[in-house]
Amino acid sequence: MDLILERGLDVGDALPTESELSAELGVGRNTVRESLKVLQALGVIEIRHGFGMFVAPNNFSALVSGLTFRGRLSLRHKGEEAMELIDVRQALESGLIGTAIDLLTDDHLADLRATMEAMENAARNDEPLYEHDAEFHRRLYAPLNNELLINLMDVFWQVYRKIHLALGTGPVNLEQQTQDHWDIFEAVANKDKALASERLQRHFDGIRLKLKDVAAA
């Protein structure tokens, strides 16, 4: 990683070959090969067989896998780590909603409304809402233009989704889930920061209760 930084390499740039790295770092080819596997698993590099090694684009898959494992494991013991994930996401979203509202434009609000209408239509047809739910939260914070925040929110969403699929959290009330998001939308549209924050917290309280039920089972 130091070599990548020192050479000024960026996303998509090619790395030296294994032979070149072995010579430059003064270690054996096997050591280089094992190290590259670790960097690949961490999402630092990508290996394209037949083409070479390259600096990888933003990739949070390793983080998703690690947090999912820890969250599922914790559900055997009161689910504390899984709850902490919800706490962190709630703190991020509730803490930043005011700034997002300040930067909200008519176009942002139109996108958010379109997402809600798609969610409502899916609920009416008894279809899963998780993709619409995730898109709602992405668009809710789109005014911040913060790619890292969106990526982290996606990580937390994927982790919760994987836990949900693996362990099950009981039937979902699609109508209530849709209404909860309409309530958040209404507060945001009215630029009521305090109410938007309160409704977001209530939304995460519902997720937390579902996980508590699983942990207690």
Side-chain angles (χ1 to χ4, degrees), residues 30-102:
N30 286 338
T31 300
V32 169
R33 193 170 292 119
E34 291 304 313
S35 299
L36 290 171
K37 288 179 182 178
V38 173
L39 291 176
Q40 184 181 30
L42 292 173
V44 175
I45 69 168
E46 58 181 353
I47 300 174
R48 304 174 196 166
H49 297 290
F51 294 94
M53 301 173 293
F54 303 84
V55 181
N58 288 338
N59 186 341
F60 289 81
S61 59
L63 182 58
V64 170
S65 297
L67 290 177
T68 300
F69 172 74
R70 291 297 172 187
R72 289 180 60 185
L73 189 64
S74 76
L75 291 177
R76 301 177 184 177
H77 314 286
K78 300 183 180 180
E80 292 181 0
E81 289 188 45
M83 299 302 171
E84 288 171 355
L85 289 172
I86 301 300
D87 290 344
V88 171
R89 185 179 168 196
Q90 178 179 334
L92 276 175
E93 295 206 30
S94 297
L96 290 171
I97 190 60
T99 306
I101 288 175
D102 285 337

Side-chain angles (χ1 to χ4, degrees), residues 35 84 94 125 128 145 178 185 189:
S35 299
E84 288 171 355
S94 297
N125 293 318
N145 196 29
T178 302
F185 172 86

Side-chain angles (χ1 to χ4, degrees), residues 17-167:
T17 65
E18 287 185 6
S19 297
E20 291 170 337
L21 287 171
S22 178
E24 182 164 347
L25 300 175
V27 296
R29 287 281 295 275
N30 286 338
T31 300
V32 169
R33 193 170 292 119
E34 291 304 313
S35 299
L36 290 171
K37 288 179 182 178
V38 173
L39 291 176
Q40 184 181 30
L42 292 173
V44 175
I45 69 168
E46 58 181 353
I47 300 174
R48 304 174 196 166
H49 297 290
F51 294 94
M53 301 173 293
F54 303 84
V55 181
N58 288 338
N59 186 341
F60 289 81
S61 59
L63 182 58
V64 170
S65 297
L67 290 177
T68 300
F69 172 74
R70 291 297 172 187
R72 289 180 60 185
L73 189 64
S74 76
L75 291 177
R76 301 177 184 177
H77 314 286
K78 300 183 180 180
E80 292 181 0
E81 289 188 45
M83 299 302 171
E84 288 171 355
L85 289 172
I86 301 300
D87 290 344
V88 171
R89 185 179 168 196
Q90 178 179 334
L92 276 175
E93 295 206 30
S94 297
L96 290 171
I97 190 60
T99 306
I101 288 175
D102 285 337
L103 298 173
L104 190 72
T105 66
D106 289 342
D107 286 342
H108 288 133
L109 194 59
D111 287 343
L112 202 57
R113 181 182 292 277
T115 303
M116 280 308 311
E117 290 171 349
M119 181 186 291
E120 189 169 64
N121 186 59
R124 193 178 297 117
N125 293 318
D126 202 29
E127 297 171 357
L129 302 184
Y130 51 87
E131 290 295 342
H132 301 292
D133 191 336
E135 185 64 16
F136 175 84
H137 288 269
R138 291 188 200 104
R139 294 194 177 191
L140 188 59
Y141 295 92
L144 298 177
N145 196 29
N146 187 323
E147 184 179 355
L148 177 60
L149 172 65
I150 300 302
N151 283 331
L152 287 175
M153 286 170 53
D154 280 345
V155 165
F156 292 135
W157 176 253
Q158 289 179 59
V159 170
Y160 172 72
R161 181 64 187 160
K162 286 177 182 291
I163 292 173
H164 178 99
L165 289 173
L167 303 179

